Amino acid sequence: MKSTRLWPALLLGAASALILGCGDRSPLGVASQAPTPHSDLIGGLLAPTGLLTCGPLPYDSTSQTVGPDGATIQIGAHQLVIPAGALVSPTLITAVTPSGPGNAVRFQPEGLQFEQTAYLT
């Protein structure tokens, strides 16, 4: 009688051992690793580290008075879009893109706050 109760436990143990014995036990199996990007696919912009590189951008500067009607300020390859109602009075805004390997735009006056969301593209 006890031998008939032992068979289900043995079968369950054997099935568990079979299931646990299969599969890749490495933390990063070959299938889960990301493919290495090829620089020829994205115009040769990859550095030896595999990261994208930035070419030096030319210096550019512009100033524009923006009032309650809003405006778009073009600075190099960038645009600052200031919607209507963002400023309550005319304000002189200066934008500078410094020369160097990166995307950066500096704005003045420092600390200027808009009533509506302005965005840079």
Side-chain angles (χ1 to χ4, degrees), residues 20-118:
L20 293 175
C22 297
D24 184 11
R25 291 181 184 247
S26 66
L28 289 175
V30 174
S32 66
Q33 291 180 350
T36 303
H38 298 283
S39 63
D40 56 332
L41 296 177
I42 54 175
L45 295 175
L46 286 180
T49 61
L51 301 174
L52 289 175
T53 58
C54 295
L57 296 176
Y59 173 87
D60 198 2
S61 175
T62 188
S63 293
Q64 184 174 332
T65 299
V66 180
D69 291 338
T72 298
I73 300 174
Q74 185 74 38
I75 175 71
H78 310 284
Q79 286 185 336
L80 175 64
V81 179
I82 303 168
L87 295 170
V88 293
S89 61
T91 305
L92 179 65
I93 297 177
T94 300
V96 176
T97 56
S99 178
N103 286 325
V105 182
R106 294 187 195 137
F107 294 99
Q108 289 181 348
E110 222 174 283
L112 178 64
Q113 296 197 4
F114 300 101
E115 300 294 322
Q116 304 285 332
T117 303

